[in-house]
Amino acid sequence: MTLSSLWQPFTLGRLDLPHRLALAPMTRSRSNPDGTPGDLTAEYYGQRASLGLIITEGTQPSADGQGYMNTPGIYTPEQIEGWRNVTEAVHAGGGAVFIQLMHAGRMSHPDNTPHHRQPVAPSAISADQEIFTPTGPQRTPTPRELSTEDIQATVADFRHAAASAIAAGADGVEIHGANGYLLHQFLSPNANHRTDSYGGSVENRSRFVIELAQALADEIGADRVGIRLSPAMPLGGIDEGDTESVRAQYRHLVGELTTLNLAYLHLHHVGDDELLRSLRDVWPTAVLVLRYGRTREQIASDIDAGLADIAPLGRFALANPDVVERLRADAPLNEVDHTTLYGGGAVGYTDYPALTHV
């Protein structure tokens, strides 16, 4: 398998990208306690600017949206200033930045948030997952069910966060609708037991995601908004049912989202290629696909198969700030140090070596 298809330029929304790679969003938990990204964060993303499209780690749109310790926010003036340093570093290196907006929902703990309040979710159903807190691992508590007024307030929080991202110099935002977090909780029948217009049927469970995407498109322009989905991803206690139930949910949701002409659809894919093909066939703009366990030789496979336009890189990019140059040169890759993924300082974050050019 050749990787030659990776090096074709691509236009995504307002961006002219030099190739088909991107940086996948990865939580690193190295922000300041107040949610401001620091100098190390700017250095980290700036080092990886050659990836072209930089999709940042999940960034909370509000205090309620925080799930883990030391994750960044994008809702205060100080956080906007911190992110401005990041976007300037990436732009200086020739890259573009989409800030991923992530509301953790029930995947949180009061000890991890600035206001120490009970987490919120579509229904008062605990994820029953272990989560790391300042005093060590604890179980996620039972969340408070969002009222319909709370849902509209959450949409307003995302609107403000999207506008704040643009104010910070970002080129766009990615809505995190995947991996067991708030939007995914609304989509999942085992996490959403609501009996109002946001629960029950496929159409109702999709409503929050669609309204949120429409609001952000109205706020900053559809061509500055991407969305990440993960059909059948069993993270955070999520169980979306059998294959046909999952297909029905996501074919409806994606079909509705197509009318918005968002910048891209980003799929964290767990193996249903028939569903992937059907979503690709209806989506009008760019499709990004990230698969677990993909080898170096398989990076371009979905592009070659016509299933994707862009292949975001996770662990390869985490451990190799110059991964684009390494792939072009068929050079060896650094291995990830899994002990330094979350929290800490420069070690395992900004100190991965680049190729030595003699």
Side-chain angles (χ1 to χ4, degrees):
M1 179 70 69
T2 175
L3 299 183
S4 60
S5 56
L6 295 179
W7 312 125
Q8 304 303 311
F10 186 76
T11 299
L12 181 146
R14 305 182 188 192
L15 304 175
D16 291 322
L17 302 175
H19 50 64
R20 304 303 184 93
L21 295 170
L23 177 66
M26 292 176 284
T27 295
R28 303 306 309 276
S29 295
R30 282 173 167 85
S31 291
N32 297 317
D34 66 351
T36 58
D39 292 342
L40 272 181
T41 303
E43 181 182 357
Y44 169 76
Y45 286 114
Q47 286 176 340
R48 288 154 181 80
S50 63
L51 277 157
L53 175 62
I54 302 296
I55 307 171
T56 75
E57 63 209 278
T59 303
Q60 54 261 15
S62 63
D64 278 343
Q66 184 166 357
Y68 307 110
M69 295 188 300
N70 298 115
T71 52
I74 184 66
Y75 58 93
T76 71
E78 294 78 15
Q79 292 163 356
I80 292 170
E81 285 305 307
W83 276 113
R84 183 171 289 114
N85 292 334
V86 175
T87 62
E88 288 176 353
V90 174
H91 290 153
V97 187
F98 270 53
I99 294 177
Q100 188 192 65
L101 303 182
M102 176 182 129
H103 192 305
R106 68 182 192 174
M107 279 301 297
S108 182
H109 192 281
D111 291 356
N112 288 351
T113 64
H115 53 35
H116 305 300
R117 290 204 298 256
Q118 184 182 11
V120 297
S123 298
I125 302 169
S126 174
D128 194 27
Q129 302 288 301
E130 189 173 88
I131 192 168
F132 199 78
T133 73
T135 56
Q138 298 191 58
R139 303 304 289 185
T140 52
T142 299
R144 177 177 66 83
E145 180 174 313
L146 291 164
S147 68
T148 53
E149 292 79 16
D150 291 331
I151 289 172
Q152 297 312 309
T154 302
V155 172
D157 288 340
F158 270 86
R159 267 189 181 265
H160 173 68
S164 297
I166 299 304
D171 299 281
V173 299
E174 177 177 282
I175 301 167
H176 198 344
N179 295 15
Y181 299 118
L182 182 66
L183 278 70
H184 201 186
Q185 293 158 26
F186 269 89
L187 296 173
S188 180
N190 83 320
N192 182 351
H193 289 187
R194 301 178 72 93
T195 57
D196 62 4
S197 60
Y198 292 97
S201 66
V202 163
E203 292 78 11
N204 284 354
R205 291 201 308 272
S206 301
R207 191 179 310 279
F208 174 56
V209 180
I210 295 165
E211 288 181 354
L212 181 56
Q214 178 68 69
L216 297 201
D218 291 344
E219 184 69 30
I220 63 172
D223 56 357
R224 284 176 159 170
V225 179
I227 187 165
R228 190 184 218 202
L229 302 174
S230 59
M233 179 74 76
L235 293 175
I238 293 294
D239 182 352
E240 296 186 273
D242 61 22
T243 299
E244 289 310 312
S245 298
V246 173
R247 289 175 177 175
Q249 177 68 69
Y250 284 91
R251 284 170 175 161
H252 170 76
L253 173 61
V254 171
E256 293 296 308
L257 291 173
T258 59
T259 64
L260 301 181
N261 281 306
L262 302 179
Y264 65 79
L265 172 64
H266 183 184
L267 294 169
H268 199 165
H269 186 57
V270 295
D272 185 349
D273 280 0
E274 182 178 326
L275 176 59
L276 174 58
R277 170 59 70 184
S278 66
L279 300 183
R280 167 66 191 223
D281 285 347
V282 300
W283 190 256
T285 61
V287 175
L288 287 61
V289 176
L290 178 66
R291 292 178 186 256
Y292 276 131
R294 190 177 49 186
T295 67
R296 175 180 185 151
E297 292 73 27
Q298 293 170 331
I299 292 172
S301 296
D302 286 321
I303 296 172
D304 291 335
L307 293 170
D309 299 298
I310 292 174
L313 299 181
R315 67 187 188 281
F316 292 143
L318 186 155
N320 297 273
D322 56 348
V323 66
V324 174
E325 292 77 9
R326 288 174 185 263
L327 291 175
R328 283 187 185 274
D330 196 25
L333 297 172
N334 300 321
E335 293 295 323
V336 172
D337 178 0
H338 291 276
T339 67
T340 59
L341 289 180
Y342 307 114
V347 176
Y349 190 49
T350 57
D351 69 340
Y352 281 105
L355 285 171
T356 300
H357 297 285
V358 178

